[in-house]
Amino acid sequence: YVVGRHNQVAIQQVISRNSTDSPIFPTIGSNVSLSMELSGAVLPGDISYHKWFLSSEWYTPLFGSSRLVLYTGSTLGYVDGIGPTPNIPPIETFFMGGTGIGYIATTALRGYDDRIVGPSDKNGNPLGGRVLNKHTAELRLAVTLNPIPIYVLGFAEGGNVYSDFTHTDFFDLKRSFGFGARLLIQPIGMVGFDYGYGADPVATSNGGPSGWHFHFQFGRGF
C-alpha cells in the first residue's frame, strides 16, 4: 500500500438473522451475520480488495432460569487483494486486543493491551493482518433487570490475527479468562467493566503471559 491520495468505490452486502428475545439481556436465540465488501475489480478506483466478516452469537438459558445464560460467540474475518497489483489500505486489515474503543478495525480481546495481538514489527507496533479468528464463552447472571439491568459474568476467550492465509493456524489462539459486570446507563447504553488474564505471551510481555488487565467499555453488552 502506497501512502497518498487514492480513489475508491466499494460496495457492501450484509446478510443477518436475529432470533434473540431481548437486546439488553438475551436469554435464548442467536444472532448471525455475514458481510462482504468489494472494492476495485469491476469498480473504479485504485483500491482493490475483497473482505469477508462472519459473526455468530448464541444464547442458552441454564437450569430453566431466565437469569443464568451461557453466551457463546465466534468471529471470523478475511481480506485479500484483487488482481496482479492489489491495494489494501491498512484501515481494512484486522487488529485485535483490549476493548477496541478508540481504534478503527480493532476486535476486542480481554486480557491483552489494545491492538497487541497479531503481527507486529520489531518494536512491537501492530501491523494488522488479513485473517481474524476469535471465540468466546461467557456465563452471565442477571442481578436485576428492572429498573436498571445489571449482570455479572465470567468469561473465557481466545483469538488471533494472522498476516495472511498461508500463515494461519486456527488453533494458535491467544487465550484469556476473567470476570466482569455490565449495567445499562441511559443515554450511554451498556457500560462494562472486565478484569481479564491473558494467558499467552505477546510482543510486549518479554516471553511471559500477558497477565491481568482491567478493561472499561461501553455501547455493547460484551
Side-chain angles (χ1 to χ4, degrees), residues 13-29:
Q13 175 68 51
V14 180
I15 302 173
S16 63
R17 180 182 184 273
N18 190 337
S19 63
T20 58
D21 60 344
S22 169
I24 304 301
F25 187 75
T27 61
I28 194 169

Side-chain angles (χ1 to χ4, degrees), residues 169-215:
D169 180 0
F170 287 107
F171 295 98
D172 178 19
L173 300 175
K174 300 300 182 182
R175 301 161 298 172
S176 67
F177 58 86
F179 53 90
R182 301 288 185 274
L183 67 156
L184 182 65
I185 299 178
Q186 297 293 357
I188 299 175
M190 194 69 76
V191 176
F193 307 90
D194 290 308
Y195 198 47
Y197 181 82
D200 293 294
V202 288
T204 58
S205 63
N206 298 319
S210 174
W212 288 101
H213 293 264
F214 177 80
H215 303 286

